[in-house]
Amino acid sequence: MIFLTDIYLDHAATTPVRPEVWQEMKPFLDGTYQGNPSSIHRFGREARAAVDAARMTIAESVGAGTEEIIFTSGGTEADNLAVTGAARAREHEGRHVITTEVEHHAVLHACEQLEREGFDVTYLPVTADGTVRVETVQQALREDTILVTMMYANNETGIINPIAEIGECLRGHEALFHTDAVQAYGMLPIDVASLQVDMLTASAHKINGPKGAGFLYVKKETTLHPLIFGGEQERRLRPGTENVPAIVGFGAAVQSLQKERETRAKTYGQLVAHLLTTLASEDVPYEINGIEEKRLPSIINLHFPGTSTEPLLAQLDLEGVAVASGSACTAGSFQPSHVLKAMYGEEDPRVRASIRISVGFGNDEDQMETAAQAIANIAKRQRKILTEN
């Protein structure tokens, strides 16, 4: 079904594959290049060369060595490998893990599994602005802390955590430091040495690459236990035949990103600003969730007083405007945001009356204006109905 508007504002969930990325992937899907990267014949060597080229591009993008990049099926697998792999590898040194209450479920559920295995996990709170305080991390550190894992930028609010400062406070402690940079990777310049992280996660489909490819940066000499077992691929940490087309697409997406990151960030920030200006002109009350000065330019989470998230999303969908309430990984049924609960408390009206808007490739100011007008009209109708009832 084609809607009258068809405005996609859910780029934090997934992004469209850019044309230049598809062109790079196509020869590895149509049979032009068909070898297994582990094969020693010419076909295999061609596939291996393509994987190696993508690995080099990605390694350079975060200031890492090629041997420090492990390809995975996406951000979730990379997070799981980092969290459970590090904890299990170091449990003889301690069994305490530190994370936050606002992590992606790939980290939270991995930590819950570690608790079932007997690990002690501390879930740090965040302030109302959505950030973790460095001193909170310092206070939670113990002698038996073996891992600290926290996201660079939140997938629901876009709020940026002080990862470099936290990395500095961990200097001298034996705990490994992992950051989920899935949302940050497309918007912020990243250098693993400056951040002082031991592990970092990113995903192709968040930066206009294909689904099915992610990577985990693993600092040299960091020991992890694999999640699966098989061949020699990816330093035995992620055995199995590499997804060559997706990895090639990932590399192509990173090449585009490296050339355009600042331009994209500026453009997306302007689009969000235009949407907010239009909302203001429509005289609809709204509040920004989280602190404006510490937010990715592409993501904004808005509270509309006197509304309800679920019908707001449904009515916007009928208008052809795609937004979200939180992580796409909770799809199937509406669940109040665990991130907003952590920020404001479970009973705060923001928890059940907020939406996430995330912009990206293909969006323009006309779409922002149309979407803002649709949001304003629906929010006003909801407020009127709720007031009358």
Side-chain angles (χ1 to χ4, degrees):
M1 178 184 293
I2 301 297
F3 294 92
L4 293 177
T5 49
D6 272 340
I7 299 174
Y8 183 74
L9 300 178
D10 196 18
H11 293 260
T14 194
T15 59
V17 175
R18 289 173 62 124
E20 65 270 25
V21 172
W22 164 243
Q23 287 303 316
E24 291 295 319
M25 294 173 62
K26 191 172 179 293
F28 296 90
L29 291 165
D30 66 10
T32 302
Y33 299 109
Q34 53 190 322
N36 185 315
S38 296
S39 299
I40 62 173
H41 49 60
R42 174 174 59 84
F43 300 100
R45 294 196 304 273
E46 289 171 343
R48 171 56 57 196
V51 170
D52 288 346
R55 195 187 309 274
M56 180 174 293
T57 296
I58 289 167
E60 290 174 350
S61 75
V62 295
T66 54
E67 73 282 2
E68 296 175 310
I69 300 299
I70 306 299
F71 285 122
T72 67
S73 63
T76 292
E77 185 187 350
D79 279 343
N80 272 258
L81 178 57
V83 174
T84 60
R88 291 171 182 169
R90 304 195 65 202
E91 61 181 325
H92 62 286
E93 301 174 36
R95 296 175 70 82
H96 181 230
V97 175
I98 297 174
T99 189
T100 79
E101 295 177 350
V102 299
E103 296 300 305
H104 189 278
H105 286 105
V107 168
L108 289 177
H109 290 170
C111 287
E112 290 167 7
Q113 175 58 33
L114 289 178
E115 288 184 290
R116 288 188 285 270
E117 296 175 15
F119 288 85
D120 181 13
V121 181
T122 297
Y123 298 89
L124 299 180
V126 294
T127 61
D129 67 16
T131 62
V132 178
R133 295 286 185 259
V134 177
E135 51 268 29
T136 305
V137 179
Q138 289 175 319
Q139 292 165 5
L141 277 174
R142 305 186 330 208
E143 287 187 9
D144 64 336
T145 304
I146 55 173
L147 173 68
V148 177
T149 174
M150 54 189 60
M151 55 178 25
Y152 198 168
N154 189 267
N155 55 299
E156 294 191 21
T157 62
I159 299 301
I160 302 166
N161 275 316
I163 295 301
E165 291 85 345
I166 293 169
E168 179 63 27
C169 94
L170 292 174
R171 187 201 290 254
H173 196 285
E174 293 300 314
L176 294 177
F177 187 26
H178 164 250
T179 187
D180 177 340
V182 166
Q183 296 294 341
Y185 184 55
M187 288 288 103
L188 302 177
I190 291 177
D191 179 79
V192 291
S194 298
L195 294 177
Q196 300 187 67
V197 293
D198 300 291
M199 296 174 287
L200 180 142
T201 298
S203 180
H205 78 106
K206 306 293 188 178
I207 60 165
N208 303 111
K211 298 173 183 64
F215 77 80
L216 177 65
Y217 156 76
V218 182
K219 187 177 180 180
K220 198 179 301 182
E221 299 181 359
T222 300
T223 302
L224 301 180
H225 276 192
L227 302 181
I228 56 177
F229 301 89
E232 303 292 319
Q233 299 92 341
E234 303 304 307
R235 290 169 42 195
R236 294 187 179 180
L237 288 175
R238 208 287 181 175
T241 302
E242 296 92 341
N243 185 348
V244 179
I247 290 171
V248 168
F250 199 175
V254 171
Q255 283 186 325
S256 293
L257 177 66
Q258 292 295 88
K259 296 174 186 175
E260 303 173 3
R261 181 186 283 108
E262 291 184 7
T263 302
R264 290 188 195 185
K266 182 179 179 180
T267 299
Y268 299 161
Q270 291 171 340
L271 291 176
V272 169
H274 190 70
L275 181 137
L276 296 179
T277 299
T278 306
L279 284 176
S281 70
E282 293 291 324
D283 197 28
V284 56
Y286 72 85
E287 298 169 315
I288 298 173
N289 293 322
I291 185 168
E292 179 73 6
E293 296 78 18
K294 297 180 181 179
R295 179 178 57 79
L296 293 178
S298 57
I299 301 176
I300 193 160
N301 198 296
L302 298 177
H303 168 226
F304 293 93
T307 69
S308 181
T309 301
E310 194 169 11
L312 186 56
L313 293 176
Q315 290 171 45
L316 281 170
D317 185 44
L318 291 174
E319 294 282 342
V321 179
V323 297
S325 61
S327 173
C329 298
T330 59
S333 63
F334 173 72
Q335 298 178 26
S337 165
H338 72 285
V339 174
L340 297 184
K341 283 183 184 179
M343 290 169 63
Y344 303 117
E346 188 167 357
E347 300 306 318
D348 193 286
R350 293 173 183 251
V351 173
R352 292 169 177 80
S354 296
I355 61 174
R356 178 188 70 186
I357 298 166
S358 49
V359 303
F361 179 70
N363 293 141
D364 56 36
E365 288 195 353
D366 288 342
Q367 290 184 342
M368 296 302 102
E369 197 160 327
T370 301
Q373 289 168 350
I375 292 168
N377 292 336
I378 294 169
K380 288 175 183 177
R381 287 201 303 268
Q382 278 199 30
R383 284 172 60 86
K384 183 178 179 182
I385 292 170
L386 290 173
T387 301
E388 290 175 349
N389 292 340

